Amino acid sequence: MTAASDLDGFRSEVSEWVQSNFPSALKSFDLGADSPSEKGVSGEFRAWRQALADNGWGTPTWPKEYGGAGLSDPEAKVIRQEIAKVGAFNPIPPMTGMGVTMVGPTILEYGTDEQKAKHLPGIASGEVRWCLGLSEPNAGSDLAALSTKAVDNGDAFILNGQKIWTSGAHISQWCGAVVRTDPKAKKRDGISFVMLPMDQKGVETRLIKLISGASPFCETFFNDARADKSDLLGDLNDGWSVVKRLLQHERQSQTSAPAAVKIDQEPLQEQAKRYVGTLEDGTLADPDLRLRIVENLMDAEAHQLTVSRITAEAKGQVKVSAAASVLKNSMTRVAQTKAELTLEMMGNQGIGWEGEQFSEEELRSVRDWLMGKAMSIYGGSAEIQNNIISKNILGLPETTQQG
Amino acid sequence: MAALTEEQTLIKDQAISWASAEAPVSKFRAMRNEGNEGGFAEPTWSAMVEMGWTGILVPEEYGGSDLGYLTFGLVLEELGKQLAASPLFASAYVGATALLLAGTDTQKLSHLPRIVDGSEIVTLAVDEGPRHAPARTALEAKSQGDKHVLTGSKTLVLEGMSATHFIVVARSAGKAGEAQGLSLFIVPADAAGLSRRPMKTMDSRGYAELSFDGVEVSDADLMGPVGQAGEVLDEILDRARAGIGAEMLGVGSQAFAMTLDYLKTRKQFGAVIGSFQALGHRAAELFAAMELARSCGEAALQEIDAQSNSVAKACSLSKAKVGDFLHTMSNQLIQIHGGIGMTDEFDAGLYLKRARVLETLYGNQSYHRDRYARLLGF
């Protein structure tokens, strides 16, 4: 671990750099709400992304040769903190879809030198967006039941089948897909992980409209789609270990509030006072709601303290661990409950769909509440996380569960 | 577990090996079966004094080792796992804390070394009614010149039958319910007009009910300025709450370990019951609750050691979240063990009973949820 004094020096260096490089025009940009896409962003946005990428600070812990900065976890944390401090943001992770959070770390671990050189720099610079072809209509929680086939035709794999819940597939340049390469092998033994470009004849995407009205997910159809053989990640028919690792990275990325959430958000209790009012002694006018809000705030604090504790125990080295399942479930519970409480406190104003009778805050709360229902389903449902905890952490025997 | 210093690791290891070898839960059971009124076995207590645990919070000038609250918490947690009974918490943790935060130099010099060597047991007397409510203190302290005359009663005083001294929360001004007007006095157990009666509680530990019938004390027994103890009392109680949080973590994690072991060994329908998904998920939920509770419990002790300005919040969080976990865990300890869990011969009941007492001490979960909300201003 870096000595504290070195870290202080690094901090002032970063702070100075961020302040002089972050364009003030981007201060009002809301990374969460404005979900940036390659076409929609401004020149300033691109310049800021480029400046960060030139330093390797979009993916600070990645090796320099692949577009990172080769920094330690504590140093990366300093960068995150200093960026947040001035109301700036790191646009690179969201611009790459699943690139920074999941695909990149998995390539770093399983990729050949050629694959790293080919794929990582595009992710590190925030220019190449990735989606993941994992779930299928008949392979959700039971992912290993997937049936999309990939046949070796000599220099490429030819893919046929359908993926679902591929986030951002319609705007992604690349896809990481799990496919069946040996139909005769046991369920988990005949799977491989391949990477393929989305811009080709054999790939078609269709948006799925969700209950929130948004369409962040797609169905993706492979009809004789091509994946180059050099883009097989990990060994042939060993894709299950790649995907298990990938999913660990996914859980890890879902254990804390997304970086995109604005840190200056009004605290829940203040929002509640605004809508519900207070009694003479200063307590919230609805005592039942008050207690449920305080429980949620306590749960949020307990979650944060657990994240810090696990980091402290790992001596500053953030590792992907089984504890991620505990954290994913607790994060989900805190966020979903908070969304319910927000709607409840808004009362008649918390049921709006559109129109000027409702404030932007109110309409956003409704959409966020609906979107949030996905948290306990994606990335391994709450029940799958409990399977993982009981089996991998507690060592309880397996029955029908195939976590 | 928090990242520990080398010294803390040593003490924790010492506590683990001593408690499991010398003060296992079977010792506690034997003490209970004897009907021991003091609620602890003398040899267990003197061994703790011998090991220096009574000096963990006390500065070196008073004979202690000054290792801080997290360190003490580690010991309390290990003792909690075995339900090891002693006045360690009441005297060397709460009593010492009260003296350190509120005592005069003379009082510290007179009592702290004796707390450390075990010759005095100093305990806090705060609650008067069925609910923990320090502001509702009614025990009256009437000033007469440089004397104060104490009249009233106290209940659920920890180690009250074996205590040599009580630190008494009394009202010098105002009405019960007002936060202002409270004073702290240190009163010897043999003071004229002070009587005590044992309270037999379900956890078989030592508690007393105290009656003050015109007990005369002097200014020299007053801890801090008269009528202004409200704030320091809060600080003392918060440290006590964090200590209870540590013990609750111990009781709860032992209950979890017993339950997990049973899930892996008990067979029904031809399979170990832990292979049933309903129980696997319940275990997973309990484990998650335990991990979150541990973070809160340890953070409170760390905040105290760091003298941060959010000690009050952290301690209420600890008491509420660890309390919630222990409540659920102790019920599941019985439920998952089924019939055997209902028998007195099995240890589960001992843990359940201790759990409920710990939950109620210094404010239960609902007390601390309300307090946490007030601290956040709503």
Side-chain angles (χ1 to χ4, degrees):
Chain A
M1 185 159 163
T2 321
S5 55
D6 292 353
L7 219 50
D8 286 346
F10 181 66
R11 184 181 297 279
S12 53
E13 212 177 288
V14 175
S15 161
E16 213 168 284
W17 185 90
V18 173
Q19 285 180 42
S20 54
N21 281 275
F22 182 63
S24 53
L26 292 180
K27 279 233 159 116
S28 58
F29 193 88
D30 185 337
L31 206 53
D34 302 346
S35 53
S37 69
E38 199 61 41
K39 281 181 200 153
V41 298
S42 65
E44 277 113 348
F45 188 99
R46 279 167 213 273
W48 168 235
R49 179 179 69 180
Q50 189 61 46
L52 272 177
D54 288 345
N55 284 358
W57 287 359
T59 52
T61 58
W62 291 13
K64 278 187 180 166
E65 53 182 318
Y66 303 128
L71 297 175
S72 66
D73 287 318
E75 286 167 324
K77 190 174 172 189
V78 166
I79 295 178
R80 275 200 305 280
Q81 289 169 335
E82 292 307 312
I83 285 179
K85 210 178 270 174
V86 297
F89 51 84
N90 177 1
I92 291 172
M95 296 292 289
T96 65
M98 305 292 150
V100 170
T101 50
M102 295 167 66
V103 177
T106 311
I107 292 179
L108 273 171
E109 202 168 324
Y110 285 92
T112 61
D113 288 347
E114 290 74 25
Q115 288 171 334
K116 290 178 191 170
K118 177 176 174 186
H119 295 296
L120 294 177
I123 298 175
S125 67
E127 287 164 316
V128 178
R129 186 184 286 268
W130 282 74
C131 62
L132 284 171
L134 305 175
S135 298
E136 297 180 5
N138 290 314
S141 285
D142 185 9
L143 182 60
L146 62 94
S147 63
T148 293
K149 281 194 183 63
V151 177
D152 184 351
N153 83 338
D155 59 350
F157 293 103
I158 304 300
L159 276 60
N160 280 287
Q162 182 194 347
K163 293 291 177 183
I164 194 167
W165 309 122
T166 40
S167 315
H170 59 303
I171 49 170
S172 292
Q173 285 91 50
W174 278 81
C175 177
V178 272
V179 292
R180 190 158 298 285
T181 37
D182 183 356
K184 291 194 202 96
K186 274 197 295 179
K187 214 159 115 172
R188 295 181 185 183
D189 295 341
I191 291 172
S192 299
F193 191 100
V194 296
M195 303 178 281
L196 67 159
M198 291 294 282
D199 185 17
Q200 57 168 302
K201 221 173 68 197
V203 177
E204 197 187 321
T205 63
R206 194 182 299 158
L207 288 170
I208 304 170
K209 188 172 178 183
L210 298 183
I211 51 177
S212 63
S215 300
F217 299 110
C218 295
E219 292 175 286
T220 299
F221 301 88
F222 298 130
N223 290 307
D224 289 338
R226 263 180 71 97
D228 205 280
K229 280 179 86 174
S230 66
D231 280 323
L232 171 71
L233 188 63
D235 292 337
L236 185 68
N237 296 327
D238 190 33
W240 190 247
S241 40
V242 179
V243 81
K244 271 202 304 196
R245 199 67 186 153
L246 188 88
L247 293 175
Q248 282 188 344
H249 285 295
E250 178 176 41
R251 282 194 286 280
Q252 194 76 11
S253 72
Q254 290 162 357
T255 56
S256 56
V261 170
K262 285 211 149 188
I263 47 169
D264 56 356
Q265 224 182 23
E266 184 184 31
L268 196 59
Q269 70 272 22
E270 296 305 318
Q271 205 180 3
K273 281 199 230 170
R274 203 149 46 75
Y275 277 96
V276 180
T278 50
L279 301 175
E280 265 172 33
D281 65 352
T283 60
L284 200 68
D286 179 342
D288 179 298
L289 177 64
R290 172 177 180 261
L291 280 178
R292 286 179 292 121
I293 289 177
V294 75
E295 279 196 16
N296 180 252
L297 293 170
M298 285 181 149
D299 287 345
E301 180 70 8
H303 173 82
Q304 271 319 312
L305 289 170
T306 306
V307 172
S308 317
R309 180 166 66 87
I310 288 172
T311 313
E313 284 165 16
K315 306 266 188 233
Q317 301 300 310
V318 186
K319 289 217 179 68
V320 175
S321 70
S325 292
V326 171
L327 293 176
K328 197 228 163 194
N329 275 358
S330 81
M331 182 66 224
T332 298
R333 198 166 303 174
V334 168
Q336 290 183 338
T337 307
K338 184 180 176 184
E340 292 285 358
L341 291 168
T342 306
L343 249 59
E344 186 182 338
M345 74 173 69
M346 288 175 172
N348 294 344
Q349 292 302 112
I351 55 172
W353 190 248
E354 53 195 17
E356 56 197 29
Q357 293 92 337
F358 302 100
S359 70
E360 200 183 307
E361 174 194 30
E362 288 158 358
L363 294 174
R364 169 88 70 85
S365 297
V366 170
R367 305 295 175 120
D368 285 353
W369 164 71
L370 287 165
M371 270 318 285
K373 298 296 171 207
M375 291 181 74
S376 48
I377 300 169
Y378 61 50
S381 66
E383 291 76 11
I384 291 291
Q385 304 302 338
N386 277 343
N387 285 350
I388 294 172
I389 296 169
S390 68
K391 203 177 74 180
N392 295 357
I393 302 182
L394 302 180
L396 290 173
E398 191 165 347
T399 46
T400 54
Q401 62 197 47
Q402 302 278 321
Chain B
M1 181 47 50
L4 300 180
T5 64
E6 207 169 302
E7 199 147 34
Q8 285 166 336
T9 309
L10 282 174
I11 291 197
K12 184 182 161 71
D13 290 345
Q14 181 192 35
I16 293 173
S17 56
W18 181 82
S20 48
E22 303 299 326
V25 64
S26 57
K27 281 249 172 107
F28 170 75
R29 175 182 289 278
M31 189 274 298
R32 180 201 70 160
N33 292 348
E34 283 162 19
N36 181 329
E37 193 171 86
F40 65 91
E42 197 57 51
T44 306
W45 172 225
S46 40
M48 292 184 189
V49 175
E50 195 97 332
M51 288 183 287
W53 292 350
T54 43
I56 292 176
L57 296 183
V58 177
E60 286 170 26
E61 53 184 308
Y62 302 113
S65 52
D66 203 8
L67 291 170
Y69 285 86
L70 179 62
T71 308
F72 211 129
L74 298 172
V75 172
L76 291 174
E77 181 180 342
E78 294 311 322
L79 297 178
K81 287 182 186 168
Q82 303 292 345
L83 302 179
S86 81
L88 183 73
F89 173 71
S91 183
Y93 187 102
V94 186
T97 294
L99 280 157
L100 286 167
L101 294 181
T104 63
D105 287 347
T106 317
Q107 287 163 348
K108 287 185 205 169
L109 204 57
S110 142
H111 297 289
L112 286 173
R114 295 191 183 128
I115 288 178
V116 176
D117 70 19
S119 57
E120 282 187 5
I121 292 173
V122 180
T123 183
L124 183 69
V126 52
D127 285 356
E128 297 180 6
R131 311 281 289 181
H132 174 69
R136 282 199 223 143
T137 294
L139 188 144
E140 181 193 37
K142 201 176 241 171
S143 296
Q144 294 178 349
D146 65 346
K147 294 250 183 280
H148 306 264
V149 183
L150 307 182
T151 307
S153 66
K154 290 289 174 188
T155 188
L156 204 67
V157 177
L158 275 65
E159 317 301 339
M161 293 313 289
S162 48
T164 57
H165 294 77
F166 298 104
I167 292 172
V168 180
V169 184
R171 181 165 291 284
S172 295
K175 290 196 301 280
E178 293 175 10
Q180 303 301 312
L182 298 180
S183 304
L184 289 176
F185 296 95
I186 183 156
V187 183
D190 57 7
L194 170 54
S195 57
R196 53 181 160 183
R197 277 200 308 166
M199 295 174 77
K200 288 199 188 282
T201 53
M202 63 184 175
D203 66 345
S204 309
R205 299 281 294 261
Y207 302 91
E209 186 181 62
L210 309 183
S211 172
F212 294 77
D213 185 11
V215 176
E216 273 190 25
V217 291
S218 74
D219 271 349
D221 305 314
L222 184 62
M223 297 170 77
V226 71
Q228 289 174 35
E231 214 165 289
V232 76
L233 175 62
D234 242 7
E235 291 175 29
I236 297 165
L237 288 171
D238 270 331
R239 283 151 182 80
R241 288 158 184 152
I244 295 283
E247 183 176 344
M248 291 199 295
L249 273 180
V251 176
S253 54
Q254 185 65 23
F256 182 82
M258 290 161 73
T259 305
L260 185 60
D261 186 54
Y262 195 69
L263 286 170
K264 289 179 179 176
T265 48
R266 167 74 172 171
K267 281 190 178 162
Q268 288 287 275
F269 306 104
V272 292
I273 60 173
S275 67
F276 304 137
Q277 199 178 40
L279 293 182
H281 281 197
R282 201 177 302 166
E285 295 283 349
L286 290 167
F287 175 76
M290 176 167 73
E291 286 301 297
L292 292 160
R294 171 169 297 286
S295 311
C296 299
E298 291 181 358
L301 296 160
Q302 287 171 320
E303 298 277 328
I304 295 170
D305 282 335
Q307 303 183 354
S308 93
N309 53 17
S310 47
V311 165
K313 251 182 71 189
C315 293
S316 275
L317 182 72
S318 165
K319 192 75 203 335
K321 290 303 298 179
V322 185
D324 276 344
F325 159 63
L326 182 58
H327 190 92
T328 309
M329 186 64 243
S330 55
N331 283 335
Q332 287 303 325
L333 171 67
I334 304 290
Q335 177 64 25
I336 293 178
H337 278 88
I340 184 87
M342 290 298 294
T343 64
D344 183 69
E345 194 188 346
F346 190 66
D347 290 334
L350 302 177
Y351 286 86
L352 175 70
K353 293 170 195 168
R354 182 64 177 157
R356 287 304 174 277
V357 174
L358 291 169
E359 285 175 58
T360 195
L361 287 178
Y362 305 118
N364 61 13
Q365 290 89 301
S366 79
Y367 178 95
H368 287 287
R369 275 192 283 271
D370 175 72
R371 183 166 181 261
Y372 192 87
R374 284 176 200 277
L375 288 166
L376 284 178
F378 77 108

